[in-house]
Each structure stands twice: as structure tokens, then as C-alpha cells.
Amino acid sequence: MSMRPVKVPGPDHPITITPTAARVVVSLAGRTIADTRAALALKEASYPPVYYIPRADVDFSLLERTDHQTYCPYKGECSYYSIPLGADRSVNAVWSYEEPYDAVAAIKGYVAFYPDRVDALEVRDVA
């Protein structure tokens, strides 16, 4: 088993995870893929925030797990899902850290979506 580097977030590469009161809705081809009021906003270094959605609020019947995997030294091994409704555009559109490192343990049981691989990823303010 190869040892992969593990990095801990710090001043040079901060990662914050905060619950959001917003409603996050993901849709594709006229179908709602995810709809939640329990998303977590993960802000990493200078990247825009990524919304992680609880698995319970995602329609997994519309997803298909793929063999694609990546590795993040801050978060761990990452698994992917495609959304067949979106054909080629939505391959590996969804990702999940199923066993995230301790520093980001809050995202266990959540998935995130690439906004450009779905029709809409709306973050609606709670009125």
C-alpha cells in the first residue's frame, strides 16, 4: 500500500466548513437531483465555496457510481458519480469523500456537484 501525503489545513491552506441556512437545489434535464436546507459550505484556500449536500437529500436513483477516483492530501480519497440524464456532460458530476480525513470529517455522508455539469446549482437565501 503506497503512503500518500496527508496535509493538515493551516494558515497557508485554510479550510473551513460551515452549515448554511440557504436552500441548495441541484437540477438537470428538468429533474431535481438534490434539494436541501442542510448543506455545508466548504471554503478552501482561495477557491469559491463548495456546497456539500447530505446524501439523504440527494436522489441517488438518478446517479450512477463510476470507477473514477482522485486524491486530495487535505481531504482524502474521493469517489465519483455520473448523472445519466446529462449524458457525456454529466460524467463524474458528483463527488464524495466517503472516509474524509479528520480535519474535514464534517463532510462524511455528503456529496458535492460540479456546477458546470448540471443545469442549475441554486443557492437560495432563506426568505
Side-chain angles (χ1 to χ4, degrees), residues 33-38 52-60 108-111:
I33 310 289
D35 186 346
T36 189
R37 292 183 182 278
Y52 280 81
I53 297 171
R55 287 175 167 265
D57 293 335
V58 177
D59 186 346
F60 272 85
K108 183 180 176 77
Y110 288 72
V111 301

Side-chain angles (χ1 to χ4, degrees), residues 23-93:
R23 180 177 176 194
V24 180
V25 180
V26 180
S27 56
L28 178 68
R31 303 286 296 273
T32 298
I33 310 289
D35 186 346
T36 189
R37 292 183 182 278
L40 297 174
L42 183 144
K43 184 90 175 77
E44 181 172 358
S46 59
Y47 303 112
V50 172
Y51 292 94
Y52 280 81
I53 297 171
R55 287 175 167 265
D57 293 335
V58 177
D59 186 346
F60 272 85
S61 72
L62 300 175
L63 305 186
E64 193 172 88
R65 194 178 177 109
T66 71
D67 293 333
H68 186 63
Q69 287 193 311
T70 57
Y71 176 76
C72 169
Y74 294 96
K75 297 190 285 286
E77 299 278 349
C78 191
S79 308
Y80 289 81
Y81 296 83
S82 293
I83 311 170
L85 286 171
D88 291 350
R89 173 176 161 226
S90 299
V91 170
N92 297 322

